[in-house]
């Protein structure tokens, strides 16, 4: 079925479903807030001892549902953004690294598709077909050329989203072709927030989907001076080593510097400004009387940056960070506030993943699900309403690349409390009990060989299901390992 035929058929089905109803409830609005490189333990709702101050996000978590085991589909940005937009694992289209990351190590990385195909029916397109006004603000990073940017993927408006994954500067001029420069010195996070408030002020009778993807807290580390000074003073009262050498295996068997103490004042200032911006959006919804009918989703695209490029944050007790398949690289702040949810708890421990947002939003909106599209996601509505399970047995990851942050090519599977990580260089495995060892320090692979084989077999079957690609040999070099 062609793309437009598919959408029109779904729209017609929705209309038929509503026929005969004497009362049509107003469709809910959606605000999706995505932060770049924000760590799981950067947020007070997840880490009461965090160095950073996040009262607004904490409040959102208290009002909504805080998922303790929420995951990104990939340890770097573009693939996770693809998974949110499509409800699919990025391995299905070989969008498995940041666009366009091609670092090599012992081997060459897997072939990389550095665009989100136009054939995908995005969450924005599905909602637009149902009468939603759709706006994208901030970081896109899902295609190099303009024909691949937000307005080609279902968004009525695009403010700031283009090919680049990091800003040239957080202070105007921004050198962004779809975000006109503001006054000299204008701060990018404030500008994007102001644009979001303007969109909310224009909200009338039509339901809306506002996707606010902050560039912060991605490098370059730049913040407002008075906030930097605030955290410089705060840091003076914190003692202890900021860094440690952790033995890792990239590119050789070497020790790698890892941040173990949250203390960077510039990063802290960026986090607080982002939190204040989230608060401004929430306040605007309340001011306009939209808060009772607006679902707010909050997430980060990958773990906090802790092993390279300035090492601005620590994810402890989670191991490593952005670019790694350890928990520090893929476990994220993951919050959904649905005012109409019939929940009995504000905390959910069931493992969920970024592909789940698409069917969840459609389900809440009361429109037909598109299982042919969001095939790797499940609606979280049962969990939001107080349920304990979705009946899903496994979550998967596939990162056949050498990350900028030192992460190794690998695959991973989580089932219940166990997580298996497999090297794509040589097939070696690590097995962790996340209930007892959230820091992934005690490798159980040798003591639990039967579980290793069972989980490994299911991971390899999944590789086949998504047509996963693997490492490539360098000219004249040895062949990399291949799963059976």
């Amino acid at each position: 079925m062609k793309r437009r035929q598919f959408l029109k058929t779904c729209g017609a089905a929705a209309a038929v479903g509503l026929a005969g109803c004497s009362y049509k409830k107003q469709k809910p609005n959606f605000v999706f807030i995505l932060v770049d490189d924000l760590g799981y333990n950067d947020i007070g709702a997840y880490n009461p001892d965090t160095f950073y101050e996040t009262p607004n996000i904490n409040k959102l978590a208290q009002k909504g549902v805080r998922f303790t085991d929420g995951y990104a589909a990939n340890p770097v940005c573009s693939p996770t953004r693809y998974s949110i937009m499509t409800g699919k694992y990025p391995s299905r289209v070989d969008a498995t690294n940041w666009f366009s990351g091609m670092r090599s190590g012992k081997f060459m990385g897997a072939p990389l598709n550095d665009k989100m195909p136009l054939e995908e029916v995005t969450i924005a397109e599905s909602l637009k077909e149902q009468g939603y006004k759709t706006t994208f603000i901030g970081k896109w990073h899902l295609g190099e050329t303009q024909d691949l940017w937000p307005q080609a993927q279902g968004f009525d408006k695009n403010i700031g989203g283009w090919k680049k994954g990091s800003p040239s500067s957080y202070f105007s001029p921004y050198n962004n072709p779809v975000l006109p420069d503001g006054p000299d010195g204008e701060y990018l996070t404030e500008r994007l927030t102001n644009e979001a408030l303007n969109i909310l002020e224009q909200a009338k009778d039509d339901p809306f989907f506002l996707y606010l993807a902050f560039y912060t807290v991605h490098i370059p580390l730049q913040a407002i001076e008075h906030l930097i000074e605030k955290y410089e003073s705060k840091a003076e009262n914190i003692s202890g080593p900021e860094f440690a050498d952790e033995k890792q295996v990239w590119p050789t068997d070497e020790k790698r510097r890892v941040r173990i103490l949250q203390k960077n004042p510039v990063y802290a200032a960026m986090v607080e400004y982002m939190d204040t911006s989230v608060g401004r959006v929430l306040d605007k919804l309340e001011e306009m009387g939209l808060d009772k009918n607006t679902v707010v989703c909050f997430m980060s695209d990958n773990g906090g940056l802790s092993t390279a490029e300035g090492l601005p944050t620590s994810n402890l007790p989670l191991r490593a960070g952005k670019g790694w398949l350890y928990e520090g690289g893929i476990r994220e702040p993951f919050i959904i506030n649905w005012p109409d949810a019939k929940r009995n708890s504000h905390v959910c421990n069931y493992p969920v993943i970024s592909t789940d947002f698409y069917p969840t939003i459609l389900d809440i909106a009361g429109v037909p699900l598109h299982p042919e599209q969001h095939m790797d996601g499940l609606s979280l509505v049962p969990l939001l309403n107080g349920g304990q399970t979705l009946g899903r047995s496994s979550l998967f990851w596939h990162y056949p690349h050498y990350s900028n942050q030192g992460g190794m090519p690998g695959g991973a599977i989580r089932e219940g409390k166990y997580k298996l990580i497999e090297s794509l260089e040589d097939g070696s495995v690590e097995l962790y009990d996340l209930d007892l060892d959230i820091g992934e320090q005690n490798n159980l692979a040798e003591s639990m060989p039967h579980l290793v084989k069972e989980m490994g077999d299911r991971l390899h079957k999944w590789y086949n299901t998504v047509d996963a690609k693997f490492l490539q040999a360098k000219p004249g070099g040895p062949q990399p390992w291949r799963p059976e």
Side-chain angles (χ1 to χ4, degrees):
M1 185 181 293
K2 296 292 186 181
R3 174 186 190 139
R4 289 297 154 202
Q5 290 175 323
F6 169 66
L7 286 170
K8 289 178 180 178
T9 299
C10 292
V16 170
L18 291 170
C21 296
S22 59
Y23 171 72
K24 181 179 178 181
K25 187 178 185 294
Q26 184 180 0
K27 293 177 181 177
N29 307 305
F30 296 92
V31 174
F32 196 108
I33 301 173
L34 185 66
V35 186
D36 197 359
D37 289 2
L38 183 72
Y40 181 89
N41 284 308
D42 291 347
I43 301 300
Y46 287 87
N47 174 20
D49 297 323
T50 181
F51 177 62
Y52 321 120
E53 298 177 20
T54 59
N56 296 292
I57 300 171
N58 298 349
K59 181 179 177 181
L60 179 66
Q62 292 167 359
K63 292 175 64 178
V65 174
R66 172 172 60 89
F67 291 87
T68 62
D69 295 49
Y71 288 97
N74 192 279
V76 295
C77 60
S78 298
T80 298
R81 292 165 190 271
Y82 168 86
S83 74
I84 296 169
M85 283 288 162
T86 66
K88 291 180 180 178
Y89 282 118
S91 299
R92 290 190 181 274
V93 295
D94 303 329
T96 45
N97 203 7
W98 65 275
F99 298 174
S100 36
M102 296 298 290
R103 181 188 293 272
S104 64
K106 181 178 181 180
F107 303 101
M108 300 292 294
L112 175 65
N113 169 29
D114 58 357
K115 63 179 180 297
M116 181 168 68
L118 291 174
E119 291 75 21
E120 301 286 8
V121 181
T122 68
I123 178 62
E125 288 172 300
S126 290
L127 290 175
K128 186 174 181 178
E129 188 71 17
Q130 299 295 328
Y132 278 78
K133 298 297 183 183
T134 57
T135 302
F136 184 90
I137 300 176
K139 174 176 172 174
W140 181 245
H141 208 198
L142 285 171
E144 181 79 10
T145 56
Q146 189 168 353
D147 62 320
L148 298 168
W149 295 352
Q151 284 177 303
Q153 298 282 15
F155 288 96
D156 298 315
K157 295 182 180 179
N158 170 33
I159 303 171
W162 65 311
K163 66 180 182 178
K164 289 192 66 175
S166 60
S168 300
S169 171
Y170 277 98
F171 295 95
S172 183
Y174 307 118
N175 299 314
N176 183 324
V178 288
L179 184 70
D181 291 333
D184 284 350
E186 177 189 64
Y187 194 54
L188 178 59
T189 306
E190 180 180 29
R191 168 63 176 280
L192 297 180
T193 306
N194 289 341
E195 296 286 357
L197 300 187
N198 289 338
I199 293 298
L200 293 178
E201 288 173 353
Q202 297 167 25
K204 295 182 181 178
D205 297 330
D206 294 321
F208 61 82
F209 175 56
L210 171 60
Y211 196 104
L212 175 56
F214 287 114
Y215 280 94
T216 198
V217 288
H218 196 286
I219 57 173
L221 297 183
Q222 296 175 342
I224 302 297
E225 188 61 35
H226 74 89
L227 287 177
I228 297 175
E229 294 172 354
K230 168 186 172 178
Y231 284 99
E232 285 175 338
S233 296
K234 188 174 181 178
E236 291 176 357
N237 299 317
I238 299 176
S239 60
E242 294 184 52
F243 307 98
D245 286 333
E246 182 177 3
K247 191 175 182 181
Q248 303 290 7
V249 286
W250 183 90
T252 57
D253 195 15
E254 64 178 12
K255 289 184 177 180
R256 189 171 191 84
R257 201 179 190 210
V258 179
R259 176 174 282 276
I260 59 173
L261 183 66
Q262 293 179 344
K263 198 175 178 179
N264 186 308
V266 182
Y267 183 85
M270 294 177 77
V271 171
E272 178 173 333
Y273 207 99
M274 177 274 298
D275 177 81
T276 299
S277 298
V278 171
R280 293 179 64 202
V281 172
L282 299 178
D283 289 346
K284 176 60 71 171
L285 290 171
E286 185 173 353
E287 173 192 320
M288 297 188 64
L290 296 170
D291 56 315
K292 297 296 189 295
N293 195 42
T294 300
V295 179
V296 179
C297 304
F298 179 91
M299 190 190 179
S300 174
D301 60 348
N302 50 246
L305 185 58
S306 68
T307 61
E309 300 166 311
L311 299 77
T313 195
S314 170
N315 300 305
L316 290 180
L318 306 185
R319 185 174 179 182
K322 178 181 179 179
W324 298 81
L325 286 174
Y326 296 120
E327 293 291 283
I330 55 177
R331 189 183 289 222
E332 314 302 334
F334 196 117
I335 301 167
I336 300 177
N337 179 28
W338 175 25
D340 288 343
K342 300 175 180 62
R343 57 183 171 265
N344 52 26
S345 173
H346 291 275
V347 179
C348 180
N349 299 320
Y350 188 84
V352 297
I353 195 165
S354 50
T355 56
D356 295 333
F357 281 113
Y358 194 144
T360 301
I361 288 171
L362 294 189
D363 200 359
I364 292 174
V367 302
L369 300 185
H370 302 337
E372 301 91 341
Q373 173 60 48
H374 50 72
M375 59 181 65
D376 297 314
L378 294 178
S379 171
L380 303 181
V381 164
L383 301 179
L384 296 172
N385 280 330
Q388 301 300 310
T389 182
L390 298 178
R392 175 169 54 200
S393 60
S394 308
L395 295 178
F396 301 97
W397 294 267
H398 170 236
Y399 187 64
H401 304 281
Y402 296 86
S403 81
N404 287 357
Q405 298 77 31
M408 292 291 290
I413 176 175
R414 175 171 175 175
E415 295 183 340
K417 65 179 183 177
Y418 291 106
K419 178 181 168 192
L420 180 79
I421 303 176
E422 175 177 78
S423 167
L424 295 183
E425 282 196 340
D426 58 16
S428 60
V429 295
E430 302 168 54
L431 178 68
Y432 299 105
D433 179 340
L434 296 180
D435 282 357
L436 300 177
D437 180 23
I438 197 172
E440 297 171 293
Q441 297 298 311
N442 182 23
N443 184 1
L444 303 174
E446 289 188 7
S447 62
M448 304 182 74
H450 295 297
L451 184 58
V452 167
K453 184 178 187 314
E454 291 171 4
M455 292 180 69
D457 287 347
R458 284 189 285 273
L459 177 59
H460 295 174
K461 183 178 179 180
W462 177 79
Y463 288 156
N464 290 330
T465 298
V466 299
D467 192 23
K469 306 301 190 300
F470 297 95
L471 299 176
Q472 306 170 90
K474 291 183 175 180
Q479 292 296 317
W481 172 85
R482 285 286 186 273
E484 296 179 358

